[in-house]
Amino acid sequence: MLRNGLEPWHVALAVLVFLLLFGSKKLPDAARGLGKSMRILKSEARAMKEESAAPPVTEAAQATETTPTPTPTGAHQV
């Protein structure tokens, strides 16, 4: 009965049900929305992967990067 799982007539039946439920006018919009969601998901997953590969920045390193080093008051800048 469930030898192969998905057979071609299963796919045809699913397409027919989608057409009956959503109509042919809404299917392209739904596919477009699904495509956009997939692109967003892939880009966010890629960004998280790159972020985890980078060495973590500690609070002390952030403080030294953001605060400028003070110059002595009597020194002349050229």
Side-chain angles (χ1 to χ4, degrees):
M1 186 157 155
L2 287 176
R3 292 171 290 155
N4 297 332
L6 268 180
E7 294 183 13
W9 68 273
H10 288 121
V11 176
L13 184 65
V15 168
L16 180 66
V17 168
F18 278 115
L19 279 174
L20 289 175
L21 287 177
F22 299 110
S24 62
K25 291 184 180 180
K26 291 188 179 183
L27 280 179
D29 293 335
R32 196 173 301 119
L34 183 63
K36 284 182 183 179
S37 298
M38 291 296 291
R39 278 192 297 274
I40 291 170
L41 180 66
K42 284 182 182 180
S43 67
E44 290 297 323
R46 190 177 306 121
M48 287 178 65
K49 190 175 182 180
E50 289 173 358
E51 185 177 287
S52 67
V57 179
T58 62
E59 290 180 25
Q62 285 178 348
T64 57
E65 290 175 3
T66 57
T67 57
T69 56
T71 57
T73 55
H76 296 284
Q77 292 181 351
V78 179

